Amino acid sequence: MSSESSSESEVKNFTDLNLNDRLHKALDKLEYEMPTPVQAEAIPHTLAGKDLMVNAETGSGKTAAFLLPILQKLVTNQAPNSATRALILLPTRELARQVLKHCNDLMAFTHIKAVVITGGAEFKYQQAMLRKNPEIIIATPGRLVEHLTRNSIDLSDLEILVLDEADRMLDLGFSEDVLRIASASPEQRQTLLYSATLNHKGVRQVASEVLSEPMNLTLNRVQDGHDSIRQQVVLADDIKHKQRLLVRLLEQENAEKTLVFCNTRDQASRLAAVLKYHGLRAAVLHGEMEQDERNRVMDLMRRGQLEVLVATDVAARGLDVKGIELVVNFDMPRSGDDHVHRVGRTGRAGVDGTAISLIKSNEWNLMASIERYLKISFERRLVKGLEGKYKGPKKLKSSGKAASDRKRSESSRKNSSKKDGDKTKQRHRDRKSVGKRRAPSASNQDARSDLGDGFAPLKKRKDKEQDSE
Ligand code: AMP
């Protein structure tokens, strides 16, 4: 049984939350003036001890929404002889490091200790850290299960379990591990599940097993997108044309930091090389890179020493880098949800941002279906001097009508010729699959492996650890 809440919160200011002075001091230092909507809704219920299912995006302030009440509980009810008291499970190493940083900022004036336990780091070193019984563990599920199996972790005192980015975590094939971890922790614990969408089969199933009478907090649906982001499309003829467009757009936008998304590792590496050739401070981030190299690139980006980061979805999942003013889809993402995750890297915490998608003819239908899924219409942008031959589907060109008319044009094309039947079916499937992950095909082998465990069956997850842990 779950109850719903989507009403406007009574909480307007951080002072309404009655948090410990040490936490207020940290909030002042971070210059957080008032709680974001997810914080205003979720913090009071978490402090009241409820199990929660919250649909909140990266960028909404969700991390502090679960960290602040955890810290409040740990500061007010001290238990020096306890083993670990709070465990945050999340899908990727980068997100783990990011949450640790956020946690360290918020608990800067307390004596609480938090550690990160993920793949890609030395097991023995982690065992030594765990022996010190840190109050908070931030972990990816695979490595945590290894510690459970080798008895190097004690969850018997766990008070709060958080499943952060639960949809992503389960897409990566971690549901068995999450269930195993939940069953190793006390039944009377509090469990908080955060996910971009709650309407996800895996999330609902895991929630039914690990949460107890949860309250559903419906804040913003993934389709609501981000109001502070301008979304544009530029039509392109081919990859070379896209490369020229990108270089020109980077000049025109003059953004301090830009994130460019590609669907494959190869494409990302090639593109980063092209951008460097054009004198831009660019680097690539993908799941096959060594963890140290990934960390180094992220640090350069955070410190503003890179202008452009070319990334694949898996590597950039959930990343919170301040000051990304521009996001470019060099390749159109394969689902509406991926699109939202990508463009959400800009326009964070209410700051304006721009997202530009470069569209070749074979990406038009995908773009149109993402528009329908998100109920938005992308603004068409022309790049002077670089206009290509491709101007959109023929029907549209002659009618000159807006995005809402595309549907008719597509359906008339669908009926137009029998010999086009197979292609049409493929397009139709593309539209239907927007908002969902697409099944792999032999031809997108590279793309599939870069998207990591999202496509892999459960038992294959270990092969893809590079991308997920
Ligand atoms: P998150 O959704 O947790 O990834 O947070 C997105 C960004 O918003 C992070 O950079 C946070 O530091 C920032 N943030 C979180 N809460 C607040 C707040 N109440 N006021 C201003 N910024 C915030």
Side-chain angles (χ1 to χ4, degrees):
M1 264 270 291
S2 69
S3 51
E4 294 273 345
S5 166
S6 55
S7 61
E8 191 131 306
S9 167
E10 301 285 297
V11 174
K12 301 280 177 252
N13 297 300
F14 279 116
T15 43
D16 299 332
L17 292 167
N18 291 324
L19 296 172
N20 187 283
D21 285 348
R22 292 166 191 227
L23 300 179
H24 277 295
K25 216 167 144 186
L27 290 169
D28 288 345
K29 191 165 172 219
L30 287 167
E31 297 179 359
Y32 289 4
E33 281 169 16
M34 58 174 99
T36 65
V38 64
Q39 291 162 3
E41 274 285 334
I43 293 175
H45 294 304
T46 310
L47 289 172
K50 294 214 163 63
D51 277 11
L52 297 184
M53 284 180 78
V54 188
N55 74 323
E57 287 286 328
T58 320
S60 60
K62 67 177 173 62
T63 316
F66 58 75
L67 285 178
L68 280 169
I70 288 177
L71 296 174
Q72 172 69 13
K73 286 184 179 210
L74 300 190
V75 176
T76 19
N77 313 317
Q78 300 209 358
N81 297 322
S82 276
T84 293
R85 299 175 67 190
L87 170 62
I88 298 157
L89 292 179
L90 29 67
T92 63
R93 299 168 191 178
E94 272 82 11
L95 187 58
R97 283 162 51 88
Q98 199 170 285
V99 170
L100 177 69
K101 171 155 191 326
H102 210 132
C103 194
N104 283 335
D105 287 344
L106 290 172
M107 63 189 195
F109 301 99
T110 74
H111 298 292
I112 302 169
K113 293 265 177 307
V115 298
V116 156
I117 301 290
T118 65
E122 213 192 316
F123 198 85
K124 281 207 169 126
Y125 173 70
Q126 293 181 341
Q127 282 179 314
M129 287 200 303
L130 292 170
R131 272 198 291 276
K132 292 186 188 154
N133 282 332
E135 284 98 332
I136 303 176
I137 294 177
I138 300 160
T140 47
R143 179 54 71 93
L144 200 88
V145 163
E146 283 181 57
H147 281 287
L148 270 179
T149 312
R150 287 155 74 169
N151 280 330
S152 44
I153 196 163
D154 179 1
L155 297 181
S156 60
D157 289 331
L158 199 75
E159 294 166 41
I160 306 182
L161 173 65
V162 181
L163 310 182
D164 188 19
E165 304 214 350
D167 53 341
R168 297 279 159 192
M169 196 153 55
L170 303 179
D171 281 344
L172 289 170
F174 282 128
S175 51
E176 256 180 32
D177 290 346
V178 169
L179 293 177
R180 163 100 200 270
I181 293 162
S183 66
S185 51
E187 245 176 61
Q188 68 277 17
R189 68 170 192 273
Q190 180 179 14
T191 309
L192 311 170
L193 181 152
Y194 280 76
S195 177
T197 169
L198 298 181
N199 195 16
H200 178 291
K201 202 172 157 218
V203 167
R204 287 202 308 263
Q205 197 175 338
V206 165
S208 70
E209 298 194 40
V210 303
L211 283 102
S212 158
E213 301 190 358
M215 182 164 208
N216 279 7
L217 297 187
T218 311
L219 287 130
N220 60 336
R221 297 168 314 129
V222 71
Q223 289 98 326
D224 291 343
H226 302 257
D227 291 345
S228 52
I229 302 170
R230 251 178 109 187
Q231 300 220 35
Q232 303 179 325
V233 291
V234 179
L235 300 186
D237 295 336
D238 51 33
I239 298 285
K240 289 264 177 265
H241 188 205
K242 279 192 177 187
Q243 289 173 353
R244 289 197 300 276
L245 284 168
L246 176 62
V247 171
R248 183 69 61 81
L249 285 165
L250 291 171
E251 268 168 32
Q252 289 181 348
E253 287 293 313
N254 199 17
E256 225 166 88
K257 290 180 194 168
T258 299
L259 190 52
V260 179
F261 282 97
C262 293
N263 288 353
T264 67
R265 294 196 283 262
D266 280 354
Q267 179 76 272
S269 303
R270 272 196 305 269
L271 188 58
V274 170
L275 296 178
K276 281 189 207 159
Y277 172 79
H278 282 274
L280 287 146
R281 280 177 287 135
V284 66
L285 185 77
H286 62 63
E288 274 284 288
M289 288 160 58
E290 291 293 327
Q291 191 58 37
D292 284 353
E293 183 60 8
R294 280 159 69 166
N295 296 345
R296 197 184 66 82
V297 167
M298 286 311 301
D299 284 346
L300 288 175
M301 189 66 177
R302 288 209 169 88
R303 282 193 268 122
Q305 292 177 351
L306 289 177
E307 297 162 276
V308 189
L309 183 62
V310 186
T312 57
D313 292 273
V314 170
R317 203 165 270 172
L319 287 186
D320 177 31
V321 176
K322 288 216 167 57
I324 293 182
E325 295 168 344
L326 176 65
V327 168
V328 179
N329 283 327
F330 190 81
D331 299 315
M332 204 59 191
R334 298 184 183 86
S335 79
D337 287 347
D338 280 345
H339 179 76
V340 175
H341 282 287
R342 286 179 177 191
V343 302
R345 302 310 99 212
T346 182
R348 297 175 74 74
V351 180
D352 289 347
T354 304
I356 307 175
S357 301
L358 306 180
I359 306 287
K360 282 195 295 159
S361 58
N362 63 350
E363 292 170 301
W364 178 276
N365 283 350
L366 191 53
M367 177 211 65
S369 49
I370 288 175
E371 279 185 322
R372 277 196 299 280
Y373 174 64
L374 302 177
K375 298 191 176 63
I376 56 172
S377 188
F378 296 128
E379 193 186 318
R380 184 79 73 83
R381 176 165 175 170
L382 291 173
V383 179
K384 236 179 155 194
L386 283 180
E387 297 89 346
K389 293 189 202 83
Y390 180 57
K391 307 279 187 227
K394 287 208 174 69
K395 290 255 153 74
L396 261 191
K397 220 180 8 170
S398 54
S399 74
K401 285 196 180 169
S404 57
D405 281 2
R406 283 176 200 141
K407 202 171 179 177
R408 213 180 326 142
S409 128
E410 277 169 28
S411 68
S412 70
R413 205 176 33 220
K414 206 167 86 182
N415 299 327
S416 67
S417 113
K418 216 177 172 190
K419 77 171 188 264
D420 275 354
D422 284 346
K423 276 192 191 161
T424 309
K425 267 187 207 152
Q426 179 61 47
R427 279 197 296 269
H428 188 59
R429 269 201 299 275
D430 283 352
R431 283 202 305 278
K432 279 170 74 174
S433 67
V434 161
K436 297 177 191 149
R437 295 213 155 268
R438 199 153 86 174
S441 72
S443 63
N444 66 4
Q445 192 65 36
D446 186 35
R448 185 176 21 162
S449 57
D450 208 56
L451 276 165
D453 303 24
F455 287 127
L458 211 63
K459 63 180 167 39
K460 282 203 183 150
R461 185 183 53 70
K462 290 276 185 274
D463 306 338
K464 303 278 197 261
E465 270 188 349
Q466 278 292 86
D467 262 28
S468 55
E469 277 188 72

